[in-house]
Amino acid sequence: DAMARQGAEVLGIDLAVKSLKVAQLHAIEAGTQGVRYQEISAENLAAQQAGQFDVVTCMEMLEHVPDPVAVVKACAQLVKPGGWVFFSTLNRNPKSFLFAIVGAEYVLNLLPKGTHEYAKFIRPSELATFCTDAGLQTQALRGLQYNPLTQRYWLDANTRVNYMLATQR
């Protein structure tokens, strides 16, 4: 929605129909124009529309899929040459386990219990390798921080829990 409000034509995809319906309802309530939603995997969309997008975002989902390498490859296929692909995910280390699973799911109840599986968390070096292998060049790595008391998000250099990787094809 944020990109559509800035004038971009946006296609949001997901395999979860419930998530798509929630996003569509939010767009209607917010009066957002220029956003469409489709029930399709990144891999299937890449087979249909390779090289059709200026920007692809893959936010907070790689740690939930069975084959993150295939999703990264699909994102690389979707973007035009020179286009940007942005990923965000969770780092795999004790601090991220403590903050993302114990803290967010069990202490603060920000997420349903069982949302995350620690073994599926991805170190920045691993994601950078997936990207390089898919033909993407890493341009920036930044940490994503969140304060649950103020409900404020920001970017900084600390990638120990959540992080974003900006890449270009």
Side-chain angles (χ1 to χ4, degrees):
D1 275 6
M3 292 187 323
R5 284 192 302 271
Q6 295 297 316
E9 290 181 40
V10 176
L11 172 63
I13 67 168
D14 203 316
L15 288 175
V17 176
K18 183 178 178 183
S19 295
L20 289 172
K21 289 184 187 239
V22 168
Q24 288 170 328
L25 181 60
H26 174 75
I28 290 167
E29 289 175 348
T32 305
Q33 303 293 317
V35 64
R36 296 179 298 117
Y37 296 97
Q38 187 175 349
E39 180 187 354
I40 191 170
S41 69
E43 297 89 337
N44 287 339
L45 185 64
Q48 294 175 10
Q49 297 189 44
Q52 297 300 305
F53 296 88
D54 296 310
V55 175
V56 172
T57 64
C58 180
M59 306 302 214
E60 301 301 319
M61 65 91 69
L62 286 177
E63 70 272 18
H64 300 286
V65 298
D67 189 359
V69 173
V71 173
V72 170
K73 183 179 176 185
C75 291
Q77 291 169 339
L78 284 164
V79 74
K80 295 175 182 176
W84 289 84
V85 183
F86 297 90
F87 298 96
S88 69
T89 192
L90 288 162
N91 199 341
R92 189 176 63 251
N93 60 53
K95 184 176 181 180
S96 67
F97 175 83
L98 182 65
F99 280 57
I101 295 178
V102 175
E105 295 181 23
Y106 291 88
V107 176
L108 299 174
N109 294 312
L110 296 172
L111 301 167
K113 290 172 180 61
T115 295
H116 293 108
E117 184 179 331
Y118 177 72
K120 290 187 174 184
F121 289 7
I122 303 167
R123 291 187 179 106
S125 60
E126 294 168 336
L127 181 54
T129 298
F130 300 163
C131 290
T132 299
D133 292 348
L136 298 170
Q137 295 180 324
T138 297
Q139 301 297 325
L141 171 66
R142 300 289 289 162
L144 240 176
Q145 309 306 323
Y146 175 67
N147 182 326
L149 299 176
T150 62
Q151 298 182 351
R152 184 178 155 257
Y153 292 90
W154 67 95
L155 295 173
D156 67 15
N158 182 349
T159 61
R160 297 299 296 163
V161 181
N162 287 79
Y163 65 94
M164 291 186 73
L165 190 68
T167 67
Q168 194 170 21
R169 179 170 171 216

